[in-house]
Amino acid sequence: MSGSAPSRREFLVGAGGGLGAAWLAAHWPGIAAAHEHAAAVADPHAAHGTEPGAAAGIAPLSFFDAAEARTVEAIAAQIVPTDDQPGAREAGALYFIDRSLATWATSSSAAFRRGLAEFHSAYTAAHPGAEFAAADPETQIAFLADIDRTPFFESLRFLTLLGMFSLPSYGGNRGELGWRMLGFEDTHAFYPPFGYYDRDYPGFVAATNGPAPSSDA
Amino acid sequence: MTRRYRDSEVVDFVVVGSGAAGGVMARELSQAGFGVVVLEQGPRFTPADFAHDELKYYFDHGITNGPAKSPQTFRRTPQDVAKRSESGGWQPLTYARMVGGSSNHFTANFWRFHDVDFHERSLLGAIPGAALEDWPISYADLEPYYGKVEWEIGVSGLAGTHPNEPPRTRPYPMPPMPVKSSGVLLERGARRLGLHPFPAPLAIASQPYRGRAACVHCGFCMGFGCEVRAKSSTLYTMIPEAEATGRCEVRTESYVFRLATNARGRVSGVHYFDPAGHEHVQKARAVVVCANGAETPRLLLTSASPAFPDGLANSSGLVGKHLMFNQNSSSFGVFEHELNEFKSVQATRVVHDFYDSDPKRGLYGGGGIDARIGPNPAGWALAGPPGRQWGKAYKDHLRTFPRTMLAAGHSTSLAVEANSVSLDPELKDAWGMPAIRCTYKDHPDDLRFAAWLQDRCGEILEAAGALQVWRLPVTESSVAVHLLGTCRMGNDPARSVIDAHHRTHDIPNLFLCDGSSFVTSGRGQPTMTIQALAFRAADHIADFAKRNEI
């Protein structure tokens, strides 16, 4: 880990070559194996703990140590925060990210860890002796707003969102909390009416001669 | 029942590719009495092999040509050095690699071309910076085959519904899909503006059709394979009917990498790798390449030999040139109540009032608008509106998902000679063959018209009562799934690659039929026309074979 805090520019450059969408797609072939592994260890209906440690008993972390996990989860929890509905923390995005970096994404896990270390260094340079995960939300948000264009942050955002909205069997989206927050359902079949506006549709009537009469709502 | 041929047997036809065009070709030629071997790069899936797995299908190249085995490079202009793609992980030229090809994962919008699509050069004159040409065929030539697609493949829709509907001799065989809330709102907004929305024609069974089940509205059409056989992919329609003749063999995971030629300058068969990577030669009287607008020109170029130093059928120098994508532009509308657009098919209403290019706009371009779901959950979250892409306000945006629809514009791409598929000079695929190098820069009118159409999309949403309308900027294309124009059809051998019967000008027993045959791009829904061309080409090719003219 870097002994001295990097300058802003060094931080931005140093976090480059991280986990963009392109990188992820290029390294995805191992996902099927990870999928199997995650399905075996993750119980989508358990693990509603608010601390990484609380859930770790059910799905132990494979890649992050406890401090790294706290930071990653805290950042993810600001990307999709918890309010009256679950956010990234409750959906277990951390576990999706951890599983990814420990299995199919191992070839770039070092780059991710380096980006995380640089994040940590930059944070402690700005807030000596403090830990990002322990900061109040305002401090976290202000710091993230300064670094949200870095490849590290973009990679973490990408993974957080995949972890919230992919099939629960990949390790995130626990109990389909991500989908439920969105208002999305995945079932084999739906039947009309599908939504509010097609409920009382009278049927299609062609208006082929000149402008159609305006239809009232 | 499925016939097996030996490599050494001289079959009547090898068809390269089993997708939208190849499936039709295989079925038509085998039903006409010919022996056919279809060589397909990808595997064969059953309905149970498909899944509602966005991660796999959108980010893992689950059924598409991925960069691990088939990398591609991209550049804007011939002056640039092409680089491996950084465009979100999608290949510049993306297609489904499996039996049925991209007819598995397409959205199934089945618009016929209009008459104007075939003779815009005569109608509008030359367009600076573009190679706009008339087709050597007209809408009237293709009309019976559009009907054939609708009935043989299976298309749902409603005829006689809008003033600029192209003429037709038969109704649709199935009624349109049930309207969705987005369709109702598009219809409402468009009619308030004096436009003429109509039910979307879709290659999806709205009721049981020819032994296939009706759609169950699961919502996973675009980018996914159908789990109930309701989507009319050639995997479920043409291929089984071809095999049922007892004359057609579909050989999977068989990658054709070179066309074989003989001393007379004719094609004698194809070289391919089997699943284990071993090389074979399948002999044939004639070859029909239906490998798509990216792989068809690539195969002609990798087949270069001392007799054909620039690749096969390339005396014009135009193999791979004139690549066209179709432009896209969307406006998002947020409404008061739930639409739940994640249910059922993408589009149930369409507007074609802006189909024709109108010189009064001061630019070339035409298009259609449909109402649709747009992305699945992860794609929705990643795409986000302009502004901060994380935090409380972003989460509030995420929750508009069930109340949001897209009015999506689908529009023209002009043919530009520099836009092309060529062979990368350095990069190789997993089999050691030269990788695809894509060169593409949208004609300025393509971008300007897309932005113009996006404004019309926004107006429709506002007229429909949207609480909020937002959009993403129209940008230059760097990824495409509509792969068009790269072996264009024409009467002049110096200015086209195939003739009006899909025979290459240079080699009498080599035919090409797929998106590469297009002379113009249409308005963004090419598969219907690819399949109509395939039915028509198969008629002619079968006639030539019967008369011993191949």
Side-chain angles (χ1 to χ4, degrees):
Chain A
M1 200 169 286
S2 154
S4 62
S7 70
R8 169 55 48 85
R9 186 182 139 64
E10 283 166 342
F11 178 78
L12 293 174
V13 174
L19 303 171
W23 175 89
L24 271 167
H27 291 83
W28 219 253
I31 194 76
H35 183 29
E36 302 278 317
H37 174 63
V41 299
D43 176 359
H45 298 294
H48 293 287
T50 55
E51 293 284 323
I58 295 145
L61 293 167
S62 306
F63 178 75
F64 296 123
D65 65 29
E68 289 170 331
R70 282 198 300 275
T71 305
V72 167
E73 189 171 58
I75 299 169
Q78 290 301 348
I79 291 169
V80 185
T82 306
D83 50 17
D84 59 323
Q85 287 185 298
R89 190 189 300 275
E90 294 76 24
L94 169 68
Y95 296 92
F96 172 89
I97 299 167
D98 180 78
R99 195 81 60 213
S100 300
L101 293 167
T103 53
W104 52 272
T106 49
S107 64
S108 282
S109 58
F112 189 92
R113 182 162 266 143
R114 192 166 61 245
L116 186 55
E118 286 165 355
F119 176 92
H120 178 73
S121 299
Y123 185 78
T124 51
H127 304 275
E131 181 181 352
F132 179 84
D136 59 62
E138 291 70 27
T139 305
Q140 290 184 344
I141 291 167
F143 185 74
L144 292 178
D146 279 342
I147 60 100
D148 67 0
R149 300 296 166 132
T150 60
F152 169 70
F153 181 86
E154 287 175 0
S155 301
L156 187 44
R157 174 181 177 271
F158 183 82
L159 287 169
T160 298
L161 296 175
L162 288 184
M164 282 208 73
F165 301 119
S166 298
L167 286 174
S169 51
Y170 285 112
N173 191 16
R174 293 191 162 172
E176 304 187 359
L177 289 177
W179 287 347
R180 283 198 262 164
M181 184 273 284
L182 272 193
F184 170 80
E185 298 168 64
D186 179 24
T187 72
H188 181 66
F190 293 108
Y191 298 94
F194 305 115
Y196 176 87
Y197 299 94
D198 56 308
R199 246 172 235 163
D200 301 312
Y201 183 73
F204 182 80
V205 178
T208 54
N209 297 317
S214 78
S215 85
D216 291 320
Chain B
M1 184 177 327
T2 299
R3 176 73 187 266
R4 297 285 164 206
Y5 294 94
R6 293 187 310 280
D7 282 341
S8 55
E9 244 177 294
V10 181
V11 296
D12 293 320
F13 290 99
V14 160
V15 176
V16 182
S18 67
V24 170
M25 195 62 66
R27 188 257 208 179
E28 291 295 282
L29 294 176
S30 59
Q31 286 194 347
F34 298 104
V36 178
V37 170
V38 180
L39 295 170
E40 164 57 49
Q41 286 183 84
R44 185 167 190 152
F45 272 33
T46 68
D49 295 322
F50 292 116
H52 289 186
D53 187 340
E54 187 182 1
L55 200 54
K56 178 178 176 183
Y57 285 73
Y58 271 83
F59 301 99
D60 184 24
H61 312 279
I63 58 171
T64 55
N65 54 322
K69 283 188 169 175
S70 305
Q72 299 176 358
T73 60
F74 182 86
R75 58 183 183 175
R76 280 279 165 233
T77 73
Q79 288 74 47
D80 302 330
V81 175
K83 296 182 180 140
R84 290 189 69 163
S85 167
E86 292 290 332
S87 55
W90 282 56
Q91 298 268 58
L93 308 176
T94 290
Y95 60 88
R97 179 174 286 178
M98 57 196 317
V99 174
S102 295
S103 74
N104 288 294
H105 76 158
F106 67 4
T107 311
N109 285 304
F110 261 41
W111 307 350
R112 292 178 175 210
F113 273 22
H114 293 197
D115 189 47
V116 292
D117 284 302
F118 297 90
H119 57 90
E120 281 186 314
R121 176 66 170 80
S122 297
L123 211 60
L124 304 169
I127 309 270
L132 182 63
E133 295 276 0
D134 290 343
W135 292 59
I137 60 173
S138 68
Y139 177 80
D141 293 321
L142 218 46
E143 197 286 328
Y145 299 100
Y146 279 126
K148 207 162 179 178
V149 174
E150 287 163 359
W151 286 80
E152 303 295 310
I153 300 277
V155 179
S156 59
L158 188 63
T161 52
H162 62 109
N164 53 345
E165 181 178 346
R168 57 167 55 245
T169 49
R170 285 201 279 183
Y172 288 96
M174 289 178 278
M177 296 293 292
V179 74
K180 303 192 349 166
S181 283
S182 61
V184 174
L185 292 167
L186 188 87
E187 192 176 308
R188 183 181 297 170
R191 286 196 169 164
R192 283 180 175 156
L193 296 171
L195 307 172
H196 302 83
F198 61 95
L202 293 171
I204 294 174
S206 61
Q207 57 190 32
Y209 192 70
R210 293 173 68 136
R212 293 187 290 121
C215 175
V216 296
H217 313 290
C218 77
F220 284 78
C221 295
M222 187 175 75
F224 297 88
C226 186
E227 295 162 37
V228 299
R229 302 171 74 242
K231 198 196 275 185
S232 304
S233 67
T234 55
L235 174 66
Y236 300 144
T237 57
M238 299 291 100
I239 294 290
E241 292 179 24
E243 289 170 330
T245 65
R247 286 183 288 274
C248 177
E249 175 188 349
V250 179
R251 212 171 284 166
T252 59
E253 296 179 74
S254 298
Y255 169 24
V256 177
F257 63 93
R258 188 179 304 131
L259 301 171
T261 49
N262 61 23
R264 293 185 297 141
R266 294 166 58 86
V267 173
S268 55
V270 300
H271 296 261
Y272 69 97
F273 294 117
D274 69 14
H278 299 129
E279 185 177 337
H280 300 260
V281 179
Q282 174 65 57
K283 293 180 177 167
R285 286 173 65 205
V287 174
V288 189
V289 184
C290 303
N292 77 42
E295 296 291 359
T296 291
R298 176 176 181 236
L299 179 58
L300 297 176
L301 296 173
T302 58
S303 300
S305 64
F308 299 98
D310 300 321
L312 291 194
N314 198 20
S315 63
S316 64
L318 294 179
V319 167
K321 306 281 179 69
H322 301 124
L323 177 64
M324 300 176 286
F325 285 171
N326 292 130
Q327 253 296 339
N328 295 284
S329 56
S330 301
S331 290
F332 292 77
V334 185
F335 290 84
E336 182 182 2
H337 301 288
E338 288 192 347
L339 288 74
N340 299 327
E341 285 304 296
F342 59 86
K343 300 180 182 180
S344 197
V345 298
Q346 281 281 341
T348 58
R349 289 294 180 272
V350 179
V351 169
H352 272 184
D353 293 79
F354 309 115
Y355 197 96
D356 293 3
S357 187
D358 183 351
K360 286 203 290 291
R361 294 181 200 132
L363 54 93
Y364 168 86
I369 295 171
D370 64 30
R372 55 170 62 200
I373 311 175
N376 300 96
W380 161 258
L382 288 164
R388 183 176 283 183
Q389 298 283 311
W390 55 276
K392 168 69 177 150
Y394 171 71
K395 187 179 182 186
D396 288 340
H397 152 73
L398 290 179
R399 282 183 286 224
T400 65
F401 181 71
R403 297 188 290 116
T404 301
M405 64 172 275
L406 271 82
H410 311 272
S411 53
T412 38
S413 291
L414 280 161
V416 173
E417 188 170 327
N419 290 341
S420 63
V421 170
S422 55
L423 303 181
D424 192 274
E426 287 163 21
L427 189 63
K428 302 279 190 278
D429 72 10
W431 294 265
M433 297 304 295
I436 283 177
R437 177 177 63 184
C438 174
T439 306
Y440 201 88
K441 184 174 177 57
D442 306 78
H443 189 281
D445 281 12
D446 299 344
L447 296 168
R448 290 168 65 207
F449 182 79
W452 184 90
L453 197 61
Q454 188 180 41
D455 289 343
R456 306 291 84 73
C457 292
E459 288 164 5
I460 291 172
L461 292 168
E462 280 163 12
L467 303 177
Q468 182 200 346
V469 175
W470 61 277
R471 57 179 63 180
L472 297 169
V474 173
T475 56
E476 288 190 315
S477 306
S478 51
V479 169
V481 293
H482 298 174
L483 312 173
L484 309 173
T486 46
C487 296
R488 56 167 33 179
M489 175 190 281
N491 291 326
D492 181 353
R495 295 166 68 195
S496 57
V497 177
I498 58 170
D499 68 17
H501 302 123
H502 294 259
R503 197 199 296 261
T504 58
H505 289 301
D506 299 351
I507 300 177
N509 66 339
L510 176 62
F511 300 85
L512 317 176
C513 183
D514 53 29
S516 74
S517 310
F518 282 35
V519 182
T520 58
S521 70
R523 269 65 178 163
Q525 310 298 352
T527 309
M528 168 52 132
T529 296
I530 289 171
Q531 296 197 307
L533 289 172
F535 274 113
R536 179 178 172 277
D539 263 8
H540 290 295
I541 294 169
D543 280 349
F544 294 144
K546 283 172 190 160
R547 298 202 301 261
N548 222 13
E549 293 174 3
I550 58 171

